[in-house]
Amino acid sequence: AQKVTQAQTEISVVEKEDVTLDCVYETRDTTYYLFWYKQPPSGELVFLIRRNSFDEQNEISGRYSWNFQKSTSSFNFTITASQVVDSAVYFCALSEHTSGTYKYIFGTGTRLKVLA
Amino acid sequence: DAGVTQSPTHLIKTRGQQVTLRCSPKSGHDTVSWYQQALGQGPQFIFQYYEEEERQRGNFPDRFSGHQFPNYSSELNVNALLLGDSALYLCASSSGTGAHGYTFGSGTRLTVV
């Protein structure tokens, strides 16, 4: 069965610390997509990154970086020099391809609190 | 360019009642998906609409139904509301199959009392 596990329920860090959010997934598909979304208190899910299962290159975007390791089925997300505005719930998601279309399987989320 | 618009933002209903939630997709998007997010949980897929038809459905009872209009907007209907239906309902739109990602709205917070 397709599954996404975010074992960290809540993380608190002090501003400027680095923080890594873990994501482990299970899938029977050979081609799939992985995503990270940010959910601020407003409720909207904000897209951060999409990664194709064939592309294991790590990616850096400003203070954000992602480490995709197919061998361990992990797709971890690191925020460098965290800021108070990074406080939110972060979701990892896996695409499931059925009937010619995609739906997402989300993890339970990690609540990040960045303290000033 | 407006993103995904959902209405209403908040709603309180009584057990047994029926509710309709509305979604306007992002401009240029033709596929609409609905997700239910219970408190402290990740979003759960309800169903997806494309070309006015339900293309895929998650593990939700028939009390949950939907519709897509020719302008690609969509409605989610829930009949015979239960306390457990209290959640944030998110609408997501995409172009085509959704492989390249969805744009989510801010959701409708439904409280059933």
Side-chain angles (χ1 to χ4, degrees):
Chain A
Q2 320 271 75
K3 186 179 179 182
V4 174
T5 301
Q6 294 180 256
Q8 304 152 309
T9 304
E10 184 170 313
I11 301 175
S12 292
V13 298
V14 176
E15 205 171 19
K16 297 184 183 178
E17 286 186 354
D18 299 346
V19 58
T20 295
L21 309 181
D22 298 333
C23 173
V24 175
Y25 63 93
E26 298 174 30
T27 181
R28 56 180 178 270
D29 293 342
T30 54
T31 301
Y32 51 89
Y33 297 91
L34 293 163
F35 302 83
W36 275 95
Y37 281 86
K38 174 181 179 180
Q39 188 175 46
S42 62
E44 181 179 354
L45 285 168
V46 178
F47 170 81
L48 296 177
I49 190 171
R50 179 185 74 119
R51 173 62 73 219
N52 183 303
S53 56
F54 292 108
D55 182 3
E56 290 193 67
Q57 284 189 339
N58 293 332
E59 181 160 338
I60 298 174
S61 176
R63 297 185 296 106
Y64 296 167
S65 62
W66 291 270
N67 185 344
F68 175 33
Q69 292 194 345
K70 218 170 173 179
S71 60
T72 57
S73 297
S74 65
F75 186 41
N76 296 335
F77 172 33
T78 298
I79 302 175
T80 302
S82 60
Q83 300 175 0
V84 173
V85 294
D86 295 328
S87 297
V89 181
Y90 290 84
F91 289 96
C92 179
L94 167 70
S95 66
E96 180 178 283
H97 188 229
T98 307
S99 303
T101 187
Y102 291 87
K103 70 178 186 185
Y104 291 1
I105 308 298
F106 283 87
T108 52
T110 298
R111 180 177 298 279
L112 175 64
K113 293 184 177 179
V114 182
L115 308 173
Chain B
D1 180 24
V4 177
T5 305
Q6 292 187 244
S7 63
T9 54
H10 294 84
L11 203 53
I12 300 175
K13 288 287 189 177
T14 303
R15 274 180 300 175
Q17 285 189 317
Q18 179 265 344
V19 68
T20 298
L21 310 182
R22 295 176 176 80
C23 172
S24 294
K26 182 179 178 178
S27 177
H29 286 181
D30 55 8
T31 300
V32 173
S33 300
W34 287 91
Y35 286 78
Q36 180 196 65
Q37 186 179 10
L39 198 62
Q41 299 296 315
Q44 300 287 320
F45 176 78
I46 303 175
F47 42 53
Q48 182 181 88
Y49 278 85
Y50 174 72
E51 292 188 340
E52 302 179 51
E53 290 192 359
E54 184 181 288
R55 185 158 65 176
Q56 192 179 169
R57 188 179 183 91
N59 188 24
F60 279 80
D62 291 343
R63 299 187 297 108
F64 289 77
S65 63
H67 188 76
Q68 186 179 34
F69 299 93
N71 66 353
Y72 307 121
S73 67
S74 177
E75 288 182 348
L76 163 65
N77 300 293
V78 187
N79 294 323
L81 284 167
L82 303 174
L83 294 179
D85 295 331
S86 296
L88 179 67
Y89 288 84
L90 294 163
C91 174
S93 71
S94 66
S95 179
T97 64
H100 297 283
Y102 290 100
T103 300
F104 283 84
S106 297
T108 294
R109 173 72 63 187
L110 172 65
T111 302
V112 182
V113 297

